[in-house]
């Protein structure tokens, strides 16, 4: 998606500060900028807008407001750039843990907006890719454990070698046009139904 096709939601109750962001975004070629001044029902508003990037600009946010902004970062699953005038100890770490892609302290200048948006997008994409790889690795590990447990049951109950048990699972999966892990899960389920240890 080209830069100027991105929809950017700007959350800022201060219209003067929002104008700085608007000018920086416009000069950088971003044409679809939506401003949110009222933070009541913020998640619903963001769902309605469906932005590609969220920019949060808060002058001196209190803890409640910050928690709401962190919630936005966790739920919206979009690149989030946050500008603050000053940051309390631990806020940067909390923001990153909440999924904020760029956290800028005392850095609201129109000429920096475009590069910060681009950094937020890049970091968000990298984090999303890493999270996907981690989830994939976890799934593969869980599936491997399931297959190992199923092989163990077949070896114990049918007197098979490990190789024979694996071959039977694989052949059954091919015959039934199912994944190996699905057949392994069926073996575990049958073992539970018919008693005995796994």
């Amino acid at each position: 998606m080209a830069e100027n096709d991105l929809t950017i939601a700007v959350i800022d109750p201060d219209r003067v500060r929002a104008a700085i962001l608007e000018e920086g975004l416009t000069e950088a070629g971003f044409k679809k900028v939506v401003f949110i001044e009222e933070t009541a029902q913020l998640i619903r508003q963001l769902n309605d807008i469906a932005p590609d990037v969220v920019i949060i600009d808060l002058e001196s946010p209190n803890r409640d407001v910050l928690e709401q902004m962190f919630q936005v970062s966790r739920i919206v699953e979009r690149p989030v750039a946050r500008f603050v005038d000053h940051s309390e100890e631990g806020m940067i770490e909390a923001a990153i843990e909440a999924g904020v892609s760029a956290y800028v302290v005392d850095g609201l200048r129109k000429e920096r907006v475009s590069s910060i948006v681009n950094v937020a997008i890049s970091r968000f994409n990298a984090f999303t890719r890493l999270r996907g790889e981690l989830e994939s690795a976890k799934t593969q590990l869980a599936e491997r454990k399931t297959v190992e447990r199923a092989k163990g049951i077949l070896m114990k109950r049918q007197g098979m070698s490990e190789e024979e048990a694996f071959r039977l699972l694989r052949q059954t999966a091919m015959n039934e046009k199912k994944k190996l892990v699905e057949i392994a899960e069926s073996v575990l389920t049958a073992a539970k139904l018919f008693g005995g240890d796994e």
Side-chain angles (χ1 to χ4, degrees), residues 70-138:
F70 291 161
Q71 188 178 11
V72 167
S73 303
R74 285 188 292 265
I75 293 172
V76 171
E77 293 191 357
R78 296 283 190 281
V80 175
R82 175 167 294 137
F83 291 87
V84 294
D85 282 353
H86 64 274
S87 183
E88 295 176 26
E89 188 176 335
M91 281 298 129
I92 294 174
E93 290 84 0
I96 298 303
E97 283 179 27
V100 173
S101 306
Y103 190 93
V104 184
V105 180
D106 192 26
L108 180 57
R109 290 189 292 279
K110 69 174 185 175
E111 60 274 5
R112 294 185 66 200
V113 172
S114 176
S115 59
I116 289 168
V117 167
N118 289 329
V119 166
I121 292 169
S122 295
R123 290 195 63 208
F124 176 81
N125 290 339
F127 177 74
T128 300
R129 189 171 49 254
L130 285 173
R131 187 172 56 190
E133 289 170 4
L134 178 60
E135 287 304 314
S136 176
K138 284 181 179 177

Side-chain angles (χ1 to χ4, degrees), residues 152-178:
I153 290 169
L154 292 172
M155 290 163 64
K156 182 176 181 180
R157 295 194 180 176
Q158 303 297 321
M160 295 179 166
S161 69
E162 183 177 357
E163 187 179 328
E164 289 170 331
F166 182 73
R167 195 179 309 127
L168 176 62
L169 289 169
R170 188 179 61 203
Q171 189 61 51
T172 305
M174 287 173 25
N175 291 345
E176 296 189 17
K177 295 182 173 53
K178 291 185 176 180

Side-chain angles (χ1 to χ4, degrees), residues 36-47:
I36 301 173
E37 293 179 36
E38 180 54 56
T39 57
Q41 298 184 335
L42 187 55
I43 301 297
R44 185 188 58 74
Q45 291 184 72
L46 287 169
N47 282 333

Side-chain angles (χ1 to χ4, degrees), residues 149 152-154 156-157 187-198:
R149 288 173 59 204
I153 290 169
L154 292 172
K156 182 176 181 180
R157 295 194 180 176
V187 170
L188 298 181
T189 301
K192 285 180 185 172
L193 286 174
F194 297 112
D197 56 295
E198 294 181 31

